[in-house]
Amino acid sequence: MRYLSLLTFAGAALAARPFLDVVDTGFEDYLGGQSNWTEGTLPSLQDIRSIPDFEYAAKQVLADDGWAFYRLAAGQEWGYRNNLEVWNKVQLRARFLRNVVDLRENIGIELFGYNFSAPFFIAPAANAAHGHERAELNFAEAAGDEDIMYNAALFASKTIEEIDAVKRNDTLNGRQVIFQQIYTNNNLSITWNDLDRAARTGAKAIVLTIDTPGSSVRVRGARHSGQDYASATTRPNTWDTFDEVRSRTDLPIILKGITTVQDAVDAIEHGADGIYISNHGGRQLEYSPSPIETAYEIFRNAPWVFDRVPVLADSGVRKGSDVLKLLALGVKAVGMGRPFMYANVYGYEGVVKAIRLMKNEIVQDGWNLGIGSLDDLNPELLNLNTLEQNVNILKAACTS
């Protein structure tokens, strides 16, 4: 089977611009004019106006090793930078004189029979205790109270059982729905135990991370003692490994770490219940494509994938418009990892505020885009010319 492949954007184009460690929203200048704030202390939560503000706030108070762990990316961090900047390549084609008044009541989604109030979720990310002593408990509680999905990380600071203990009885599904992320271990008996623990505590789906076959080059982390991080597994996973995992659980399995149309198609052919587009936040392989690039590659080559299974995506999402762009291409739900880690320096209240900011941005951007519900989103609302210029057209496309 031959495919159309998406070419990587040239690194030189990105290198021509200054690298902003934290996106400038005017927050730093605003705080500098406030007599009640001192650099190196946590700004007032009421002054947070956007998702990037949480990153600036977190940098003020996180210890060096905690900041490095959350912020690090692979190699010279090209992939991380591209994740944030590539959204500029896809313009929105707003339509007007449309009925948009009911959008606020129509941003909910359904995944595997479960309903959520918004099309984004808290993505799996390890070691939330760097930001707050209650760590992932804040994520579970805030997600439950706001009726969004929480995808718990295997290497969370809190155990699967501790997270289960704080689940809410939410308004949409009864008992709070949590998906559990899993890595395979070199000792597969540990993996089977993790799957059993997830099932016993009521996880509704398994998110199997496949993009960590070995350790990665993480220069920023290597500068801090103990942070030359190896990946969770160096196991040489194959489709045989997937088949073994499949035989061990009745839960839906979503494969996380898809960055090519080839792997998306292969995942469906091997029986995955869902796919999860992600380049691990740019933390595994430098020059790996962003989620919007991979989503476009799938849309351009095998659009039927979006109809066959739910498609999730994460990496570099910071705005409501980022979510809308991915949904317009066919993605079902969009994850955010680092933003919630940064918001967690404020504890539960910070996580709730981040959720509400995103909900509001999706509604306001959706109004101005001209949609009355998420069902109105489609590729015609996107100017994809720049992405199309980066497509190398081969002789045949994917077929279902």
Side-chain angles (χ1 to χ4, degrees):
M1 181 182 294
R2 291 177 294 179
Y3 305 85
L4 300 178
S5 62
L6 190 65
L7 294 180
T8 304
F9 288 119
L14 292 176
R17 293 190 299 279
F19 188 92
L20 296 177
D21 193 47
V22 177
V23 173
D24 182 12
T25 65
F27 192 34
E28 183 176 0
D29 290 341
Y30 169 80
L31 290 173
Q34 303 301 303
S35 60
N36 61 347
W37 180 77
T38 302
E39 188 173 2
T41 63
L42 196 62
S44 170
L45 182 58
Q46 69 179 7
D47 288 332
I48 299 290
R49 294 288 184 267
S50 70
I51 293 300
D53 291 349
F54 283 113
E55 184 171 358
Y56 182 81
K59 191 174 184 181
Q60 303 304 307
V61 296
L62 284 173
D64 288 346
D65 61 342
W67 171 257
F69 179 71
Y70 290 159
R71 173 57 185 79
L72 65 81
Q76 309 307 303
E77 302 187 342
W78 184 95
Y80 169 86
R81 184 179 187 181
N82 184 55
N83 282 350
L84 296 176
E85 295 190 340
V86 72
W87 306 103
N88 300 336
K89 306 295 183 181
V90 181
Q91 295 175 321
L92 293 169
R93 303 182 65 248
R95 301 298 306 276
F96 300 111
L97 301 176
R98 302 289 186 94
N99 183 1
V100 301
V101 295
D102 294 328
L103 179 59
R104 193 173 292 279
E105 288 73 46
N106 288 292
I107 63 168
I109 60 168
E110 176 268 328
L111 284 173
F112 299 109
Y114 303 103
N115 296 303
F116 303 97
S117 68
F120 64 93
F121 61 93
I122 301 177
N127 297 329
H130 283 304
H132 194 273
E133 62 183 4
R134 296 193 75 250
E136 293 83 10
L137 302 185
N138 293 327
F139 298 156
E141 291 173 346
D145 290 341
E146 289 293 316
D147 288 326
I148 70 167
M149 195 264 281
Y150 172 38
N151 186 179
L154 179 63
F155 294 111
S157 300
K158 300 296 183 180
T159 66
I160 292 173
E161 292 76 17
E162 287 172 322
I163 292 171
D164 176 59
V166 301
K167 284 180 183 175
R168 305 305 211 209
N169 290 318
D170 68 42
T171 59
L172 296 178
N173 303 298
R175 179 70 167 161
Q176 183 179 349
V177 173
I178 289 180
F179 292 1
Q180 180 62 53
Q181 181 262 342
I182 292 287
Y183 289 102
T184 55
N185 192 284
N186 282 315
N187 179 353
L188 279 176
S189 65
I190 295 176
T191 303
W192 308 150
N193 182 58
D194 291 334
L195 289 172
D196 290 342
R197 293 169 64 206
R200 284 197 305 270
T201 53
K204 300 305 182 184
I206 297 297
V207 174
L208 180 63
T209 295
I210 61 173
D211 63 355
T212 56
S215 59
S216 62
V217 178
R218 296 175 173 180
V219 177
R220 187 184 296 264
R223 297 189 189 283
H224 295 269
S225 176
Q227 289 207 35
D228 189 8
Y229 296 104
S231 298
T233 174
T234 55
R235 181 180 177 82
N237 290 322
T238 66
W239 286 112
D240 289 338
T241 311
F242 169 76
D243 291 340
E244 288 188 76
V245 175
R246 172 79 286 172
S247 71
R248 294 277 178 163
T249 181
D250 294 326
L251 294 172
I253 297 178
I254 304 165
L255 291 185
K256 181 179 185 292
I258 300 294
T259 59
T260 64
V261 64
Q262 292 97 326
D263 278 348
V265 170
D266 286 350
I268 293 174
E269 291 179 346
H270 283 86
D273 299 292
I275 66 171
Y276 191 147
I277 297 170
S278 175
N279 68 1
H280 218 106
R283 293 165 76 90
Q284 280 301 114
L285 178 65
E286 193 164 27
Y287 298 103
S288 56
S290 69
I292 193 74
E293 291 170 294
T294 301
Y296 181 69
E297 181 177 295
I298 295 171
F299 167 75
R300 183 68 171 80
N301 293 274
W304 54 269
V305 165
F306 295 107
D307 297 322
R308 190 72 63 84
V309 298
V311 177
L312 286 62
D314 74 16
S315 297
V317 175
R318 299 293 187 274
K319 306 180 293 297
S321 60
D322 299 342
V323 174
L324 294 176
K325 289 175 183 180
L326 286 167
L327 298 183
L329 284 174
V331 170
K332 185 73 170 179
V334 178
M336 299 169 65
R338 284 186 180 94
F340 286 110
M341 288 297 194
Y342 298 139
N344 199 36
V345 298
Y346 290 96
Y348 166 87
E349 291 80 8
V351 180
V352 168
K353 180 152 190 176
I355 293 170
R356 292 178 178 174
L357 281 173
M358 284 301 296
K359 284 182 177 180
N360 193 54
E361 285 193 17
I362 287 169
V363 170
Q364 291 186 317
D365 288 339
W367 283 338
N368 288 291
L369 184 57
I371 62 171
S373 77
L374 297 184
D375 291 337
D376 294 337
L377 289 168
N378 63 77
E380 293 181 356
L381 294 172
L382 307 178
N383 182 338
L384 298 165
N385 289 340
T386 301
L387 291 186
E388 181 66 21
Q389 291 169 8
N390 287 273
V391 170
N392 178 24
I393 300 178
L394 303 179
K395 292 183 179 179
C398 301
T399 59
S400 59

